[in-house]
Amino acid sequence: MSESFEQLIDPLGRHIEDLRISVTDRCNFRCTYCMPEEGMQWLNRSDVMSFEEIERLARIFVERYGVKGIRLTGGEPTVRAHLPVLISKLSKLVGPDGPVNLAMTTNGATMRLLADPLKQAGLKRVNISLDTLDRAKFHQMTRRDELNNVLDGICAAQEVGFDPVKINAVIERGINDSEILDLATFGREQNVEVRFIEFMPLDAEGHWMNDNVVGQAEILEKISAKYPLEVLPARGAAPADRFRFLDGGLYGEGSPGSMIGVIPTITKPFCGDCDRVRLTAEGDFRTCLFANKEFDLLTALRSGESDDQVADRIEAAVATKWAGHQIHQVNFTRPSKSMSQLGG
């Protein structure tokens, strides 16, 4: 362990080990739970962090504070030009525990073109969003007719060796909750781990209601009626509870398709173990996805502050990290930004 290594610890004793970085606020989809169909005010390109600025901030988190994992998000990260160049820079970062674990969340629509360059550049893992297997419903939810490209993108990610490939499925009552079992079957057949995500109050239209949420218990009940499940060991700081199919799936025990995950942000918050912090595309530092306060690091970089000064800002921000998002409590306030602007 480096002599200069410092642990980044919040007021509740949680060690910060996971950094989410949004590389753009733009997206080629218009998912209903993420952004409006029209009227988004995109950031000026000059206001978005450059690759060099992203690398510099990431280096501070990895080399100084021992952050183990970085996940690239958006908007849609693959719409950022020359993304493999950034991947190459970040994949070379090494912390006290070894090389950083570099992952990306994507809608998968362009993975047929990008999977191999991203893998060659050093990307380790991918999560691909897929909320429905029905073409008409896919168009309804994303406002784009791209289902076939996403399905092909999943295949492309597997073909170049991403392992495991995980599928993120946001479940919304009355929209795609009838497909929970179909999505679980898809995971078994395609040998991918499907992670069901409870619908969160981050939709740009502001229409979220608790009645729209399909909770973890209901999701598991629908799946286990056909495929009996067993809970896997506790997730620790990871956001998903994981469950294995008792029959081992179609590809055998331990394969991606032999298990599912559920991210129960609403019905079973994992805030007590949260080890994540975030950077938005414009370089604002957030200690929680639902935080109402941001800390401007990009201006600090561009005004010539040293790494030590930027690190002081990071530590001061982490010192404000709260116990949890407080959804269902009277003092909960929705973030002023939608999911696409925050980074998923």
Side-chain angles (χ1 to χ4, degrees), residues 135-154:
R135 183 175 176 181
K137 194 177 296 181
F138 187 95
H139 189 276
Q140 175 190 354
M141 295 185 73
T142 68
R143 303 183 179 108
R144 297 292 185 270
D145 186 13
E146 294 278 356
L147 177 59
N148 289 340
N149 286 333
V150 174
L151 294 175
D152 186 49
I154 293 169

Side-chain angles (χ1 to χ4, degrees), residues 196-198 216 235 239-241 262-270:
F196 297 91
I197 302 173
E198 293 180 350
Q216 174 173 280
R235 63 194 178 194
D241 283 332
V262 181
I263 300 180
T265 306
I266 308 301
T267 65
K268 188 184 172 186
F270 44 89

Side-chain angles (χ1 to χ4, degrees), residues 78 83-84 87 104 111 114-123 162:
T78 61
L83 185 62
I87 297 292
M104 181 179 75
M111 284 298 284
L114 288 173
D116 188 60
L118 292 172
K119 186 72 165 57
Q120 294 301 319
L123 188 66
F162 286 113

Side-chain angles (χ1 to χ4, degrees), residues 79-125:
V79 304
R80 180 76 185 257
H82 311 298
L83 185 62
V85 174
L86 175 62
I87 297 292
S88 180
K89 291 176 180 291
L90 297 180
S91 67
K92 295 180 175 64
L93 297 179
V94 179
D97 296 316
V100 69
N101 188 342
L102 187 59
M104 181 179 75
T105 298
T106 173
N107 62 33
T110 59
M111 284 298 284
R112 175 56 65 185
L113 297 174
L114 288 173
D116 188 60
L118 292 172
K119 186 72 165 57
Q120 294 301 319
L123 188 66
K124 301 298 184 186
R125 298 180 292 118

Side-chain angles (χ1 to χ4, degrees), residues 169-173 177 180-181 193-199 210 212-225 229-235 238-243 260-270 328:
V170 175
I171 304 300
E172 186 176 355
R173 190 174 306 283
D177 54 317
I180 291 172
L181 183 58
E193 180 182 336
V194 179
R195 291 153 51 102
F196 297 91
I197 302 173
E198 293 180 350
F199 181 40
N210 191 57
N212 301 134
V213 177
V214 181
Q216 174 173 280
E218 185 175 344
I219 291 169
L220 296 176
E221 181 181 7
K222 288 176 180 285
I223 296 171
S224 60
L229 295 165
E230 178 183 63
V231 66
L232 288 169
R235 63 194 178 194
D241 283 332
R242 301 174 78 202
F243 305 82
I260 63 162
V262 181
I263 300 180
T265 306
I266 308 301
T267 65
K268 188 184 172 186
F270 44 89
H328 296 321

